[in-house]
Amino acid sequence: MERLDSNQYQGMVEDQDNTSNAPKAKKSIRITTTDSNLERLIEITKSMSKEMRRDFDKMYGRILDLLDISVKTPVPTIEEYTRMTRLPIDDNVGVYSYRGRYVDERKIAKLIGLHPDQLKLEKRGAIQGLRKSFLEDHLEALAGRGSWHYFNKTLALTIYGLVLFPFAPNMVDHAAMDVFAQYETQGLNPVPAILADTLLTLEVCQKKNGGTLKCCTHLLYVWIITHMYACELRTLFPDPLRDFGRIKVKRQEAREWKKELADIQDNKIAWTCPWYSPYEVIFSCGDFANVPLMGPRGCVAYTPSIALRQLKRTQVKPVEEQLGGICFQYDAPDVSQLLVRVRAAWRNVQRKGDDELGKPRVSASQEYNEWRRARGVPEYVLREAPHAEGSSRSSDETLKAMASELERARAQIKQLEEVEEAAEWEIDALKRQCKKKDEQIEQFEDPG
């Protein structure tokens, strides 16, 4: 896969169906990305055996696969990101929550097998964190000693800071450490925080008519390219990240990408990703009409009711209360009470499924289309997979029958695989919870 020079990327940032605001006509702005060189980190991971990679996947989801994505960069949903990362949200465990201050660096040192005095934090203005080279040196030392327990934790921390929550180039900052620590010690899901970072940085770029994307551009890129180019790969794309190489994307200059994205309304986009299977949708939290996402640096409202078509549901007109909502950084004044309200909201998550949304169907109501047109947003044409023409009608019918049988067989295989994988996720999650409870009990029994 070729890489676009992301530091020269110029594209379209648009208030799409799935942002927290009502859709508007699009406009072109210039954006750049926070880019860290991952080549040495990728080389270090080659020392991991297949069994070690499987163990890492069970602990941290598919985040290791993001290192294989070369980024060339509408906004995704929680459900799509959880499917991509294989990190399903468990209401009994919870999600990342900013608690007024970040994790103590001594705790990070302990998690990655270092004495606090060995942790070399660096300051860049108001930002404090660990240099990429420091973590890479530590990873190589751990691999040399065969200390794979701490190797996995250090690798996960590095990916959290450089890929999932990038902020300063070649640095894992304190905010990323905080998300990692909450997942590592309590199993709190990072996916809503990843999406919060994405929406917040797009909001900032939109308001400033340009800027730098400081979010997980790897996941965002996979999501965009999948919607644009993978429509015909529905039976060949069960794993969003590991099968990403099947999508052939030509190398383009920034101006060519700008034109490509500008033409998105001309039958260039598939509303649904080929790997997405519809299930319950997180629709709102607590007393919020939408979903308040809490990232490591700020909060932003996310409105699933205007992303239903992406989730293989019938898109209906949202109510006014679901539009707009919160959007603030943690250094803003007078946000402490709002933070308490957001944290409480995630203890009461409302989901909707077939009973409330109807059977899965990619469509939009007439009322919704009229609502979009009133806001000057073009009505996109849904893209369908291409069909080859046979030499005769009889051969066409034979091929269709064979293809139908093949599709049914593949669907059955996929369903069985997903059931098995879901069971493995649940077992692994329970094992992690038991392990953490055992550690807490040991600490309580032996405080010294």
Side-chain angles (χ1 to χ4, degrees), residues 109-143:
K110 184 178 180 180
L111 286 174
I112 63 175
L114 288 173
H115 188 276
D117 293 340
Q118 294 177 288
L119 202 67
K120 298 179 180 179
L121 292 177
E122 177 181 298
K123 285 190 175 182
R124 295 184 191 174
I127 304 170
Q128 182 174 265
L130 296 169
R131 285 187 63 84
K132 176 174 71 75
S133 57
F134 171 79
L135 290 167
E136 289 170 338
D137 290 343
H138 185 47
L139 281 168
E140 289 181 338
L142 291 169

PDB file of all heavy atoms in Angstrom, residues 109-143:
ATOM      1  N   ALA A 109       5.402   3.495  35.239  1.00  0.00           N
ATOM      2  CA  ALA A 109       6.704   2.835  35.368  1.00  0.00           C
ATOM      3  C   ALA A 109       6.528   1.399  35.848  1.00  0.00           C
ATOM      4  O   ALA A 109       7.142   0.462  35.310  1.00  0.00           O
ATOM      5  CB  ALA A 109       7.594   3.614  36.330  1.00  0.00           C
ATOM      6  N   LYS A 110       5.678   1.206  36.845  1.00  0.00           N
ATOM      7  CA  LYS A 110       5.448  -0.136  37.378  1.00  0.00           C
ATOM      8  C   LYS A 110       4.812  -1.049  36.335  1.00  0.00           C
ATOM      9  O   LYS A 110       5.174  -2.224  36.224  1.00  0.00           O
ATOM     10  CB  LYS A 110       4.563  -0.049  38.623  1.00  0.00           C
ATOM     11  CG  LYS A 110       4.334  -1.387  39.311  1.00  0.00           C
ATOM     12  CD  LYS A 110       3.498  -1.224  40.569  1.00  0.00           C
ATOM     13  CE  LYS A 110       3.264  -2.568  41.257  1.00  0.00           C
ATOM     14  NZ  LYS A 110       2.436  -2.410  42.492  1.00  0.00           N
ATOM     15  N   LEU A 111       3.879  -0.505  35.548  1.00  0.00           N
ATOM     16  CA  LEU A 111       3.182  -1.311  34.544  1.00  0.00           C
ATOM     17  C   LEU A 111       4.122  -1.830  33.467  1.00  0.00           C
ATOM     18  O   LEU A 111       3.915  -2.928  32.938  1.00  0.00           O
ATOM     19  CB  LEU A 111       2.057  -0.493  33.901  1.00  0.00           C
ATOM     20  CG  LEU A 111       0.806  -0.251  34.740  1.00  0.00           C
ATOM     21  CD1 LEU A 111      -0.154   0.691  34.020  1.00  0.00           C
ATOM     22  CD2 LEU A 111       0.098  -1.565  35.059  1.00  0.00           C
ATOM     23  N   ILE A 112       5.151  -1.038  33.125  1.00  0.00           N
ATOM     24  CA  ILE A 112       6.039  -1.458  32.031  1.00  0.00           C
ATOM     25  C   ILE A 112       7.372  -2.001  32.541  1.00  0.00           C
ATOM     26  O   ILE A 112       8.319  -2.160  31.776  1.00  0.00           O
ATOM     27  CB  ILE A 112       6.276  -0.310  31.028  1.00  0.00           C
ATOM     28  CG1 ILE A 112       6.985   0.870  31.671  1.00  0.00           C
ATOM     29  CG2 ILE A 112       4.955   0.130  30.407  1.00  0.00           C
ATOM     30  CD1 ILE A 112       7.342   1.984  30.688  1.00  0.00           C
ATOM     31  N   GLY A 113       7.443  -2.289  33.850  1.00  0.00           N
ATOM     32  CA  GLY A 113       8.616  -2.964  34.388  1.00  0.00           C
ATOM     33  C   GLY A 113       9.819  -2.086  34.624  1.00  0.00           C
ATOM     34  O   GLY A 113      10.956  -2.539  34.476  1.00  0.00           O
ATOM     35  N   LEU A 114       9.589  -0.824  35.006  1.00  0.00           N
ATOM     36  CA  LEU A 114      10.695   0.093  35.290  1.00  0.00           C
ATOM     37  C   LEU A 114      10.585   0.636  36.702  1.00  0.00           C
ATOM     38  O   LEU A 114       9.476   0.747  37.263  1.00  0.00           O
ATOM     39  CB  LEU A 114      10.690   1.271  34.302  1.00  0.00           C
ATOM     40  CG  LEU A 114      11.108   0.996  32.861  1.00  0.00           C
ATOM     41  CD1 LEU A 114      10.874   2.243  32.019  1.00  0.00           C
ATOM     42  CD2 LEU A 114      12.566   0.566  32.778  1.00  0.00           C
ATOM     43  N   HIS A 115      11.715   0.996  37.298  1.00  0.00           N
ATOM     44  CA  HIS A 115      11.704   1.735  38.556  1.00  0.00           C
ATOM     45  C   HIS A 115      11.325   3.176  38.215  1.00  0.00           C
ATOM     46  O   HIS A 115      11.709   3.691  37.155  1.00  0.00           O
ATOM     47  CB  HIS A 115      13.092   1.679  39.206  1.00  0.00           C
ATOM     48  CG  HIS A 115      13.116   2.257  40.586  1.00  0.00           C
ATOM     49  ND1 HIS A 115      13.253   3.612  40.813  1.00  0.00           N
ATOM     50  CD2 HIS A 115      12.994   1.654  41.809  1.00  0.00           C
ATOM     51  CE1 HIS A 115      13.237   3.835  42.126  1.00  0.00           C
ATOM     52  NE2 HIS A 115      13.084   2.664  42.750  1.00  0.00           N
ATOM     53  N   PRO A 116      10.580   3.853  39.092  1.00  0.00           N
ATOM     54  CA  PRO A 116      10.189   5.244  38.798  1.00  0.00           C
ATOM     55  C   PRO A 116      11.352   6.144  38.408  1.00  0.00           C
ATOM     56  O   PRO A 116      11.201   7.039  37.573  1.00  0.00           O
ATOM     57  CB  PRO A 116       9.542   5.701  40.114  1.00  0.00           C
ATOM     58  CG  PRO A 116       8.982   4.449  40.707  1.00  0.00           C
ATOM     59  CD  PRO A 116       9.962   3.366  40.336  1.00  0.00           C
ATOM     60  N   ASP A 117      12.539   5.899  38.994  1.00  0.00           N
ATOM     61  CA  ASP A 117      13.692   6.735  38.661  1.00  0.00           C
ATOM     62  C   ASP A 117      14.186   6.503  37.237  1.00  0.00           C
ATOM     63  O   ASP A 117      14.917   7.329  36.677  1.00  0.00           O
ATOM     64  CB  ASP A 117      14.839   6.457  39.633  1.00  0.00           C
ATOM     65  CG  ASP A 117      14.512   6.896  41.054  1.00  0.00           C
ATOM     66  OD1 ASP A 117      13.597   7.741  41.198  1.00  0.00           O
ATOM     67  OD2 ASP A 117      15.133   6.385  42.001  1.00  0.00           O
ATOM     68  N   GLN A 118      13.804   5.367  36.639  1.00  0.00           N
ATOM     69  CA  GLN A 118      14.239   5.051  35.270  1.00  0.00           C
ATOM     70  C   GLN A 118      13.329   5.671  34.210  1.00  0.00           C
ATOM     71  O   GLN A 118      13.696   5.692  33.035  1.00  0.00           O
ATOM     72  CB  GLN A 118      14.264   3.535  35.073  1.00  0.00           C
ATOM     73  CG  GLN A 118      15.288   2.800  35.907  1.00  0.00           C
ATOM     74  CD  GLN A 118      15.190   1.300  35.705  1.00  0.00           C
ATOM     75  OE1 GLN A 118      14.262   0.631  36.153  1.00  0.00           O
ATOM     76  NE2 GLN A 118      16.164   0.746  34.978  1.00  0.00           N
ATOM     77  N   LEU A 119      12.175   6.134  34.635  1.00  0.00           N
ATOM     78  CA  LEU A 119      11.212   6.693  33.673  1.00  0.00           C
ATOM     79  C   LEU A 119      11.643   8.110  33.300  1.00  0.00           C
ATOM     80  O   LEU A 119      11.622   9.022  34.128  1.00  0.00           O
ATOM     81  CB  LEU A 119       9.804   6.701  34.289  1.00  0.00           C
ATOM     82  CG  LEU A 119       8.635   6.737  33.311  1.00  0.00           C
ATOM     83  CD1 LEU A 119       8.572   5.443  32.518  1.00  0.00           C
ATOM     84  CD2 LEU A 119       7.327   6.962  34.049  1.00  0.00           C
ATOM     85  N   LYS A 120      12.025   8.289  32.069  1.00  0.00           N
ATOM     86  CA  LYS A 120      12.561   9.570  31.617  1.00  0.00           C
ATOM     87  C   LYS A 120      11.490  10.381  30.899  1.00  0.00           C
ATOM     88  O   LYS A 120      11.303  10.284  29.691  1.00  0.00           O
ATOM     89  CB  LYS A 120      13.762   9.343  30.697  1.00  0.00           C
ATOM     90  CG  LYS A 120      14.922   8.626  31.382  1.00  0.00           C
ATOM     91  CD  LYS A 120      16.079   8.409  30.434  1.00  0.00           C
ATOM     92  CE  LYS A 120      17.233   7.687  31.123  1.00  0.00           C
ATOM     93  NZ  LYS A 120      18.365   7.445  30.200  1.00  0.00           N
ATOM     94  N   LEU A 121      10.776  11.203  31.670  1.00  0.00           N
ATOM     95  CA  LEU A 121       9.745  12.063  31.101  1.00  0.00           C
ATOM     96  C   LEU A 121      10.377  13.307  30.482  1.00  0.00           C
ATOM     97  O   LEU A 121      11.366  13.836  30.995  1.00  0.00           O
ATOM     98  CB  LEU A 121       8.742  12.469  32.172  1.00  0.00           C
ATOM     99  CG  LEU A 121       7.851  11.356  32.735  1.00  0.00           C
ATOM    100  CD1 LEU A 121       6.972  11.904  33.844  1.00  0.00           C
ATOM    101  CD2 LEU A 121       6.985  10.748  31.647  1.00  0.00           C
ATOM    102  N   GLU A 122       9.784  13.749  29.399  1.00  0.00           N
ATOM    103  CA  GLU A 122      10.288  14.941  28.701  1.00  0.00           C
ATOM    104  C   GLU A 122       9.162  15.960  28.598  1.00  0.00           C
ATOM    105  O   GLU A 122       7.996  15.601  28.418  1.00  0.00           O
ATOM    106  CB  GLU A 122      10.770  14.550  27.308  1.00  0.00           C
ATOM    107  CG  GLU A 122      11.251  15.719  26.474  1.00  0.00           C
ATOM    108  CD  GLU A 122      11.694  15.273  25.098  1.00  0.00           C
ATOM    109  OE1 GLU A 122      12.648  14.480  25.001  1.00  0.00           O
ATOM    110  OE2 GLU A 122      11.074  15.710  24.119  1.00  0.00           O
ATOM    111  N   LYS A 123       9.499  17.224  28.704  1.00  0.00           N
ATOM    112  CA  LYS A 123       8.508  18.292  28.576  1.00  0.00           C
ATOM    113  C   LYS A 123       8.699  19.039  27.275  1.00  0.00           C
ATOM    114  O   LYS A 123       9.816  19.369  26.889  1.00  0.00           O
ATOM    115  CB  LYS A 123       8.605  19.264  29.756  1.00  0.00           C
ATOM    116  CG  LYS A 123       8.017  18.730  31.056  1.00  0.00           C
ATOM    117  CD  LYS A 123       7.918  19.821  32.104  1.00  0.00           C
ATOM    118  CE  LYS A 123       7.229  19.311  33.362  1.00  0.00           C
ATOM    119  NZ  LYS A 123       7.083  20.390  34.385  1.00  0.00           N
ATOM    120  N   ARG A 124       7.573  19.293  26.592  1.00  0.00           N
ATOM    121  CA  ARG A 124       7.558  20.148  25.412  1.00  0.00           C
ATOM    122  C   ARG A 124       6.484  21.201  25.643  1.00  0.00           C
ATOM    123  O   ARG A 124       5.311  20.985  25.359  1.00  0.00           O
ATOM    124  CB  ARG A 124       7.240  19.357  24.154  1.00  0.00           C
ATOM    125  CG  ARG A 124       8.279  18.311  23.774  1.00  0.00           C
ATOM    126  CD  ARG A 124       7.920  17.646  22.472  1.00  0.00           C
ATOM    127  NE  ARG A 124       8.732  16.477  22.199  1.00  0.00           N
ATOM    128  CZ  ARG A 124       8.523  15.650  21.174  1.00  0.00           C
ATOM    129  NH1 ARG A 124       7.522  15.899  20.324  1.00  0.00           N
ATOM    130  NH2 ARG A 124       9.276  14.594  20.997  1.00  0.00           N
ATOM    131  N   GLY A 125       6.888  22.305  26.201  1.00  0.00           N
ATOM    132  CA  GLY A 125       5.902  23.310  26.572  1.00  0.00           C
ATOM    133  C   GLY A 125       5.043  22.789  27.713  1.00  0.00           C
ATOM    134  O   GLY A 125       5.542  22.383  28.761  1.00  0.00           O
ATOM    135  N   ALA A 126       3.728  22.776  27.498  1.00  0.00           N
ATOM    136  CA  ALA A 126       2.815  22.283  28.526  1.00  0.00           C
ATOM    137  C   ALA A 126       2.622  20.773  28.446  1.00  0.00           C
ATOM    138  O   ALA A 126       1.958  20.185  29.298  1.00  0.00           O
ATOM    139  CB  ALA A 126       1.463  22.992  28.388  1.00  0.00           C
ATOM    140  N   ILE A 127       3.205  20.125  27.437  1.00  0.00           N
ATOM    141  CA  ILE A 127       3.024  18.691  27.221  1.00  0.00           C
ATOM    142  C   ILE A 127       4.156  17.915  27.886  1.00  0.00           C
ATOM    143  O   ILE A 127       5.323  18.306  27.804  1.00  0.00           O
ATOM    144  CB  ILE A 127       2.990  18.355  25.716  1.00  0.00           C
ATOM    145  CG1 ILE A 127       1.892  19.160  25.016  1.00  0.00           C
ATOM    146  CG2 ILE A 127       2.769  16.867  25.496  1.00  0.00           C
ATOM    147  CD1 ILE A 127       1.946  19.063  23.520  1.00  0.00           C
ATOM    148  N   GLN A 128       3.795  16.829  28.545  1.00  0.00           N
ATOM    149  CA  GLN A 128       4.781  15.977  29.195  1.00  0.00           C
ATOM    150  C   GLN A 128       4.560  14.543  28.761  1.00  0.00           C
ATOM    151  O   GLN A 128       3.421  14.080  28.672  1.00  0.00           O
ATOM    152  CB  GLN A 128       4.650  16.088  30.716  1.00  0.00           C
ATOM    153  CG  GLN A 128       5.657  15.268  31.497  1.00  0.00           C
ATOM    154  CD  GLN A 128       5.594  15.526  32.983  1.00  0.00           C
ATOM    155  OE1 GLN A 128       6.347  16.336  33.511  1.00  0.00           O
ATOM    156  NE2 GLN A 128       4.695  14.857  33.660  1.00  0.00           N
ATOM    157  N   GLY A 129       5.649  13.828  28.455  1.00  0.00           N
ATOM    158  CA  GLY A 129       5.475  12.459  28.017  1.00  0.00           C
ATOM    159  C   GLY A 129       6.791  11.716  27.866  1.00  0.00           C
ATOM    160  O   GLY A 129       7.854  12.191  28.286  1.00  0.00           O
ATOM    161  N   LEU A 130       6.706  10.543  27.251  1.00  0.00           N
ATOM    162  CA  LEU A 130       7.860   9.689  27.023  1.00  0.00           C
ATOM    163  C   LEU A 130       8.238   9.724  25.546  1.00  0.00           C
ATOM    164  O   LEU A 130       7.367   9.597  24.678  1.00  0.00           O
ATOM    165  CB  LEU A 130       7.547   8.241  27.429  1.00  0.00           C
ATOM    166  CG  LEU A 130       7.249   8.002  28.913  1.00  0.00           C
ATOM    167  CD1 LEU A 130       6.703   6.598  29.111  1.00  0.00           C
ATOM    168  CD2 LEU A 130       8.501   8.205  29.745  1.00  0.00           C
ATOM    169  N   ARG A 131       9.513   9.874  25.284  1.00  0.00           N
ATOM    170  CA  ARG A 131       9.974   9.879  23.902  1.00  0.00           C
ATOM    171  C   ARG A 131       9.817   8.490  23.277  1.00  0.00           C
ATOM    172  O   ARG A 131       9.979   7.467  23.934  1.00  0.00           O
ATOM    173  CB  ARG A 131      11.432  10.309  23.816  1.00  0.00           C
ATOM    174  CG  ARG A 131      11.664  11.797  24.022  1.00  0.00           C
ATOM    175  CD  ARG A 131      13.118  12.153  23.759  1.00  0.00           C
ATOM    176  NE  ARG A 131      13.478  11.894  22.367  1.00  0.00           N
ATOM    177  CZ  ARG A 131      13.258  12.738  21.365  1.00  0.00           C
ATOM    178  NH1 ARG A 131      12.649  13.895  21.595  1.00  0.00           N
ATOM    179  NH2 ARG A 131      13.624  12.426  20.135  1.00  0.00           N
ATOM    180  N   LYS A 132       9.490   8.468  22.003  1.00  0.00           N
ATOM    181  CA  LYS A 132       9.352   7.205  21.270  1.00  0.00           C
ATOM    182  C   LYS A 132      10.640   6.393  21.345  1.00  0.00           C
ATOM    183  O   LYS A 132      10.604   5.176  21.549  1.00  0.00           O
ATOM    184  CB  LYS A 132       8.989   7.494  19.811  1.00  0.00           C
ATOM    185  CG  LYS A 132       8.910   6.267  18.924  1.00  0.00           C
ATOM    186  CD  LYS A 132       8.403   6.623  17.547  1.00  0.00           C
ATOM    187  CE  LYS A 132       9.404   7.413  16.744  1.00  0.00           C
ATOM    188  NZ  LYS A 132      10.521   6.579  16.215  1.00  0.00           N
ATOM    189  N   SER A 133      11.784   7.050  21.192  1.00  0.00           N
ATOM    190  CA  SER A 133      13.066   6.344  21.201  1.00  0.00           C
ATOM    191  C   SER A 133      13.328   5.686  22.556  1.00  0.00           C
ATOM    192  O   SER A 133      13.911   4.601  22.621  1.00  0.00           O
ATOM    193  CB  SER A 133      14.198   7.308  20.847  1.00  0.00           C
ATOM    194  OG  SER A 133      14.231   8.406  21.745  1.00  0.00           O
ATOM    195  N   PHE A 134      12.895   6.328  23.647  1.00  0.00           N
ATOM    196  CA  PHE A 134      13.065   5.741  24.979  1.00  0.00           C
ATOM    197  C   PHE A 134      12.271   4.436  25.100  1.00  0.00           C
ATOM    198  O   PHE A 134      12.782   3.424  25.603  1.00  0.00           O
ATOM    199  CB  PHE A 134      12.609   6.735  26.050  1.00  0.00           C
ATOM    200  CG  PHE A 134      12.540   6.154  27.441  1.00  0.00           C
ATOM    201  CD1 PHE A 134      13.690   5.994  28.197  1.00  0.00           C
ATOM    202  CD2 PHE A 134      11.321   5.752  27.977  1.00  0.00           C
ATOM    203  CE1 PHE A 134      13.627   5.447  29.474  1.00  0.00           C
ATOM    204  CE2 PHE A 134      11.255   5.205  29.249  1.00  0.00           C
ATOM    205  CZ  PHE A 134      12.408   5.060  29.999  1.00  0.00           C
ATOM    206  N   LEU A 135      11.027   4.448  24.623  1.00  0.00           N
ATOM    207  CA  LEU A 135      10.191   3.254  24.688  1.00  0.00           C
ATOM    208  C   LEU A 135      10.702   2.170  23.752  1.00  0.00           C
ATOM    209  O   LEU A 135      10.647   0.977  24.081  1.00  0.00           O
ATOM    210  CB  LEU A 135       8.743   3.621  24.353  1.00  0.00           C
ATOM    211  CG  LEU A 135       8.037   4.470  25.418  1.00  0.00           C
ATOM    212  CD1 LEU A 135       6.731   5.050  24.875  1.00  0.00           C
ATOM    213  CD2 LEU A 135       7.775   3.647  26.673  1.00  0.00           C
ATOM    214  N   GLU A 136      11.208   2.558  22.591  1.00  0.00           N
ATOM    215  CA  GLU A 136      11.764   1.567  21.662  1.00  0.00           C
ATOM    216  C   GLU A 136      13.005   0.900  22.252  1.00  0.00           C
ATOM    217  O   GLU A 136      13.193  -0.322  22.112  1.00  0.00           O
ATOM    218  CB  GLU A 136      12.077   2.237  20.325  1.00  0.00           C
ATOM    219  CG  GLU A 136      10.832   2.609  19.540  1.00  0.00           C
ATOM    220  CD  GLU A 136      11.132   3.487  18.327  1.00  0.00           C
ATOM    221  OE1 GLU A 136      12.206   4.137  18.318  1.00  0.00           O
ATOM    222  OE2 GLU A 136      10.304   3.536  17.412  1.00  0.00           O
ATOM    223  N   ASP A 137      13.857   1.695  22.912  1.00  0.00           N
ATOM    224  CA  ASP A 137      15.031   1.114  23.575  1.00  0.00           C
ATOM    225  C   ASP A 137      14.600   0.119  24.653  1.00  0.00           C
ATOM    226  O   ASP A 137      15.197  -0.968  24.794  1.00  0.00           O
ATOM    227  CB  ASP A 137      15.885   2.220  24.207  1.00  0.00           C
ATOM    228  CG  ASP A 137      16.597   3.087  23.172  1.00  0.00           C
ATOM    229  OD1 ASP A 137      16.701   2.644  22.008  1.00  0.00           O
ATOM    230  OD2 ASP A 137      17.018   4.207  23.532  1.00  0.00           O
ATOM    231  N   HIS A 138      13.583   0.490  25.401  1.00  0.00           N
ATOM    232  CA  HIS A 138      13.073  -0.384  26.468  1.00  0.00           C
ATOM    233  C   HIS A 138      12.495  -1.672  25.871  1.00  0.00           C
ATOM    234  O   HIS A 138      12.721  -2.764  26.407  1.00  0.00           O
ATOM    235  CB  HIS A 138      12.028   0.362  27.288  1.00  0.00           C
ATOM    236  CG  HIS A 138      11.523  -0.402  28.473  1.00  0.00           C
ATOM    237  ND1 HIS A 138      12.354  -1.052  29.351  1.00  0.00           N
ATOM    238  CD2 HIS A 138      10.240  -0.617  28.917  1.00  0.00           C
ATOM    239  CE1 HIS A 138      11.633  -1.632  30.308  1.00  0.00           C
ATOM    240  NE2 HIS A 138      10.353  -1.394  30.045  1.00  0.00           N
ATOM    241  N   LEU A 139      11.785  -1.553  24.768  1.00  0.00           N
ATOM    242  CA  LEU A 139      11.221  -2.731  24.103  1.00  0.00           C
ATOM    243  C   LEU A 139      12.322  -3.687  23.638  1.00  0.00           C
ATOM    244  O   LEU A 139      12.220  -4.909  23.814  1.00  0.00           O
ATOM    245  CB  LEU A 139      10.365  -2.304  22.904  1.00  0.00           C
ATOM    246  CG  LEU A 139       8.960  -1.790  23.215  1.00  0.00           C
ATOM    247  CD1 LEU A 139       8.352  -1.137  21.982  1.00  0.00           C
ATOM    248  CD2 LEU A 139       8.061  -2.928  23.702  1.00  0.00           C
ATOM    249  N   GLU A 140      13.377  -3.141  23.044  1.00  0.00           N
ATOM    250  CA  GLU A 140      14.473  -3.987  22.581  1.00  0.00           C
ATOM    251  C   GLU A 140      15.164  -4.676  23.754  1.00  0.00           C
ATOM    252  O   GLU A 140      15.546  -5.853  23.658  1.00  0.00           O
ATOM    253  CB  GLU A 140      15.462  -3.152  21.777  1.00  0.00           C
ATOM    254  CG  GLU A 140      14.918  -2.728  20.413  1.00  0.00           C
ATOM    255  CD  GLU A 140      15.911  -1.920  19.610  1.00  0.00           C
ATOM    256  OE1 GLU A 140      16.837  -1.332  20.226  1.00  0.00           O
ATOM    257  OE2 GLU A 140      15.771  -1.858  18.375  1.00  0.00           O
ATOM    258  N   ALA A 141      15.315  -3.967  24.856  1.00  0.00           N
ATOM    259  CA  ALA A 141      15.943  -4.572  26.042  1.00  0.00           C
ATOM    260  C   ALA A 141      15.071  -5.700  26.599  1.00  0.00           C
ATOM    261  O   ALA A 141      15.580  -6.764  26.983  1.00  0.00           O
ATOM    262  CB  ALA A 141      16.185  -3.502  27.106  1.00  0.00           C
ATOM    263  N   LEU A 142      13.761  -5.470  26.648  1.00  0.00           N
ATOM    264  CA  LEU A 142      12.835  -6.495  27.152  1.00  0.00           C
ATOM    265  C   LEU A 142      12.832  -7.720  26.250  1.00  0.00           C
ATOM    266  O   LEU A 142      12.817  -8.864  26.734  1.00  0.00           O
ATOM    267  CB  LEU A 142      11.421  -5.912  27.263  1.00  0.00           C
ATOM    268  CG  LEU A 142      11.202  -4.847  28.337  1.00  0.00           C
ATOM    269  CD1 LEU A 142       9.848  -4.176  28.155  1.00  0.00           C
ATOM    270  CD2 LEU A 142      11.305  -5.459  29.733  1.00  0.00           C
ATOM    271  N   ALA A 143      12.842  -7.487  24.938  1.00  0.00           N
ATOM    272  CA  ALA A 143      12.867  -8.606  23.994  1.00  0.00           C
ATOM    273  C   ALA A 143      14.163  -9.401  24.145  1.00  0.00           C
ATOM    274  O   ALA A 143      14.159 -10.644  24.078  1.00  0.00           O
ATOM    275  CB  ALA A 143      12.719  -8.099  22.565  1.00  0.00           C
TER     276      ALA A 143
END
